[in-house]
Amino acid sequence: MLNERSLAAHQDCKDCPIRHKAVCARCESDELERLEEIKYYRRFEAGQTVVWSGDRMDFVGSVVSGIATLTQTMEDGRTQMVGLLLPSDFVGRPGRSTAAYDVVATTDLVMCCFRKSPFEDMMGRTPHIAQRLLEMTLDELDAAREWMLVLGRKTAREKIASLISIIARRDASLHMRTSDGPLAFDLPLTREAMADYLGLTLETVSRQISALKKDGVIHLEGKRHVTIPDMDRLMEEAGDDADGGMLV
Amino acid sequence: MLNERSLAAHQDCKDCPIRHKAVCARCESDELERLEEIKYYRRFEAGQTVVWSGDRMDFVGSVVSGIATLTQTMEDGRTQMVGLLLPSDFVGRPGRSTAAYDVVATTDLVMCCFRKSPFEDMMGRTPHIAQRLLEMTLDELDAAREWMLVLGRKTAREKIASLISIIARRDASLHMRTSDGPLAFDLPLTREAMADYLGLTLETVSRQISALKKDGVIHLEGKRHVTIPDMDRLMEEAGDDADGGMLV
DNA sequence: AATGTACATTGACGCAGATCAACACAAGGC
DNA sequence: GCCTTGTGTTGATCTGCGTCAATGTACATT
């Protein structure tokens, strides 16, 4: 998933996160050429499924624009979102042939893909790429574990505050906002999707958002547009120690 | 974390998971020598903390014997376990200098360690090691995400059944049990530690274990020794589609 | 035997969040 | 205009699990 580090690294190449300075400044140029050769783009509409859990997945890639979600579903229909993919986030599992989760586009989505086997070949010859991928995967692991704390131990109100503060921070770094001043952005998820991320029902999500609004922690314009007058206050509501946690 | 794959790979070298066939059959022998040079062992007693979250961590390594936990704690003391380390599991973050979680030995523990910077150097020269580490990290990521479903969407009873079935399966593969027949093993965690893993209170854990026992899903001898008469039944209780899920 | 400590079980009670249900509002399509 | 569909809000009620508290069990220490 996205974090300040991978994002910063991504600045110099909007369309292909693998090929950014952090990796490629150290790579030989013919390796870069080869990456370029096996690269292609895929476009999805909002609501479309990118891959189904268990299906063969013969590419790896990253999000160029739009938002996708990773979800798991039990037989009886209970679902849990296990990841949120924003621009520059990586998808795919070198060394695996099938997808472990449903990947769904929640907005229109553009992905930059590489066919898996040539990509793996390249990884074998280019240690920096494998190392870079390892770092990105460790970031995702941190994010997933951070989220385990949210799911296991936080109250509904704290969960909502956590989610909003994560989205706010991602959005801020995406637009290179330099700290301070009120943040404003659109929630990229429906109430139901938030509920699936937070392990709540959509009614509880709605109620808690209303409560945070009433208490002045956030302002709402319409149903989606949020402004945050005081980020520290929000993080306090989220139960985070100021500017410490939340790697996502 | 442990799974069938990393475990199988581990069979041929009990003391050092990095140096098993899956990686090293393809490595040059002088690289192996160098790994050997920077390797050392550390021993911890039950209850000792291996590293504190935020502390400098200048090694990576893996569990040789015993059990350790990864936990996160909020300021007010709420804690969530985010990982369970069993023999052959890897700890550490190439490319990071500080620990992200508390690592605590819950039993006497032996770890096989490598100083971080020489290990990283080696990774840079030996693509297979980076790739192997990437695969292991992807396994952990799957496990963490699988656990997000448990934390976010399962009932207390299902959570307990999930935990017991995971421990049962790990134990079975550790002893190379070939399917079928009742499984028997000791729970390696206190009720409190289970509660921290499952996002429950220890009272609820105790109650649900009693309930599963009363309903014949498990048998209990003393407080820790469990036998499972019917694994399929247990997995049904866990809400897993038979032999599908649960990668941990 | 007496005492302490760590771990586990069980009961009584209350509340946060789920569930069920009604309603609001905007955007299309006809 | 009217109807439908997707999305969000709010209320009333129910319940699973947390909280508080008492009790039990096994072992170690003196």
Side-chain angles (χ1 to χ4, degrees):
Chain A
M1 281 182 225
L2 189 69
N3 64 13
E4 288 74 358
R5 177 151 41 142
S6 65
L7 192 71
H10 185 230
Q11 292 311 324
D12 51 280
C13 171
K14 282 278 183 281
D15 66 344
C16 170
I18 295 299
R19 194 192 172 175
H20 51 55
K21 230 189 227 165
V23 173
C24 299
R26 298 178 295 178
C27 294
E28 276 113 78
S29 59
D30 59 331
E31 291 293 354
L32 281 184
E33 285 313 307
R34 237 170 273 154
L35 250 188
E36 209 54 37
E37 275 164 31
I38 60 172
K39 181 173 113 178
Y40 60 101
Y41 292 92
R42 296 183 67 184
R43 261 152 259 273
F44 300 89
E45 285 170 32
Q48 261 191 299
T49 297
V50 177
V51 274
W52 295 97
S53 166
D55 275 9
R56 172 153 208 85
M57 185 169 168
D58 51 9
F59 66 94
V60 299
S62 55
V63 176
V64 175
S65 66
I67 289 169
T69 60
L70 303 182
T71 58
Q72 295 195 90
T73 307
M74 295 171 66
E75 301 116 272
D76 62 7
R78 282 178 280 178
T79 75
Q80 175 66 50
M81 194 188 301
V82 297
L84 189 58
L85 299 171
L86 284 115
S88 97
D89 287 348
F90 185 79
V91 207
R93 334 182 58 57
R96 313 295 178 78
S97 57
T98 58
Y101 323 101
D102 296 334
V103 181
V104 180
T106 60
T107 64
D108 289 348
L109 182 73
V110 179
M111 295 197 51
C112 165
C113 302
F114 305 92
R115 286 188 299 113
K116 197 159 69 69
S117 67
F119 185 84
E120 282 169 357
D121 292 346
M122 244 206 77
M123 254 179 54
R125 288 192 309 272
T126 319
H128 294 132
I129 290 187
Q131 276 185 65
R132 174 72 192 140
L133 232 40
L134 178 59
E135 274 182 37
M136 292 172 74
T137 306
L138 283 168
D139 283 342
E140 283 198 67
L141 185 57
D142 279 341
R145 284 173 167 170
E146 200 80 45
W147 207 250
M148 286 172 66
L149 177 65
V150 174
L151 289 172
R153 293 301 184 194
K154 291 195 177 178
T155 65
R157 185 181 174 102
E158 288 170 331
K159 285 178 176 182
I160 297 288
S162 297
L163 179 58
I164 294 179
S165 107
I166 284 175
I167 294 175
R169 226 158 328 145
R170 287 190 167 199
D171 185 80
S173 53
L174 196 65
H175 297 98
M176 306 289 282
R177 291 276 169 57
T178 45
S179 62
D180 298 350
L183 293 172
F185 55 92
D186 284 326
L187 293 171
L189 300 173
T190 64
R191 302 291 187 262
E192 189 181 17
M194 291 188 235
D196 283 343
Y197 205 2
L198 296 165
L200 297 170
T201 59
L202 65 91
E203 292 95 329
T204 299
V205 170
S206 182
R207 273 186 254 272
Q208 295 297 337
I209 288 182
S210 298
L212 288 176
K213 176 185 171 185
K214 187 164 68 62
D215 297 346
V217 182
I218 60 173
H219 296 163
L220 257 189
E221 221 172 308
K223 293 157 189 312
R224 296 288 193 94
H225 193 77
V226 178
T227 57
I228 300 172
D230 180 356
M231 193 65 193
D232 290 344
R233 172 76 194 286
L234 180 64
M235 293 186 49
E236 204 177 297
E237 290 284 352
D240 295 344
D241 34 355
D243 82 2
M246 291 285 109
L247 291 148
V248 180
Chain B
M1 281 184 221
L2 188 68
N3 63 14
E4 288 75 357
R5 180 154 35 146
S6 66
L7 191 74
H10 185 229
Q11 292 312 324
D12 49 281
C13 172
K14 282 278 184 278
D15 66 346
C16 170
I18 295 297
R19 193 191 172 174
H20 50 54
K21 231 189 224 163
V23 173
C24 299
R26 298 178 295 178
C27 293
E28 276 113 79
S29 58
D30 59 332
E31 292 292 354
L32 279 184
E33 284 313 308
R34 237 170 273 156
L35 250 188
E36 208 56 38
E37 274 164 31
I38 61 173
K39 180 173 116 179
Y40 60 101
Y41 292 90
R42 297 184 65 186
R43 263 152 256 272
F44 300 89
E45 285 169 33
Q48 260 190 302
T49 296
V50 177
V51 275
W52 296 97
S53 167
D55 274 9
R56 173 153 205 84
M57 184 168 169
D58 50 9
F59 66 95
V60 299
S62 54
V63 176
V64 176
S65 67
I67 288 169
T69 60
L70 304 181
T71 58
Q72 295 195 90
T73 306
M74 294 171 66
E75 300 116 274
D76 62 7
R78 283 178 279 178
T79 74
Q80 175 66 50
M81 194 188 301
V82 296
L84 189 59
L85 298 172
L86 285 116
S88 96
D89 286 349
F90 185 79
V91 205
R93 332 181 61 51
R96 314 293 179 79
S97 56
T98 57
Y101 323 100
D102 296 334
V103 182
V104 180
T106 59
T107 65
D108 289 349
L109 182 73
V110 179
M111 294 196 50
C112 166
C113 302
F114 305 92
R115 286 187 301 113
K116 196 158 71 68
S117 67
F119 186 83
E120 282 167 359
D121 294 345
M122 243 205 80
M123 251 179 56
R125 289 192 309 272
T126 318
H128 295 131
I129 290 187
Q131 278 184 63
R132 173 75 191 139
L133 232 39
L134 178 58
E135 273 181 37
M136 291 173 75
T137 306
L138 283 168
D139 283 342
E140 284 198 68
L141 185 57
D142 279 341
R145 285 174 164 168
E146 200 79 45
W147 207 251
M148 286 172 66
L149 178 65
V150 174
L151 290 173
R153 292 301 186 194
K154 291 195 178 179
T155 65
R157 186 182 173 103
E158 288 170 331
K159 286 178 175 181
I160 297 288
S162 297
L163 180 59
I164 294 179
S165 105
I166 284 175
I167 295 174
R169 227 157 329 147
R170 286 190 168 199
D171 185 80
S173 52
L174 196 65
H175 296 99
M176 306 289 284
R177 291 276 169 58
T178 44
S179 64
D180 300 347
L183 294 172
F185 56 92
D186 283 326
L187 293 171
L189 301 171
T190 66
R191 300 292 187 262
E192 189 180 17
M194 291 189 233
D196 283 343
Y197 205 3
L198 296 166
L200 298 171
T201 59
L202 67 90
E203 292 95 329
T204 300
V205 169
S206 183
R207 272 186 254 272
Q208 295 299 337
I209 288 182
S210 298
L212 288 176
K213 176 184 169 186
K214 188 163 68 62
D215 297 346
V217 182
I218 60 172
H219 297 163
L220 258 189
E221 220 172 308
K223 291 159 192 310
R224 298 289 193 91
H225 192 79
V226 177
T227 56
I228 298 172
D230 180 355
M231 194 63 193
D232 290 344
R233 172 76 194 285
L234 179 64
M235 294 188 47
E236 205 176 297
E237 290 285 351
D240 297 343
D241 34 356
D243 82 1
M246 292 283 109
L247 292 146
V248 179

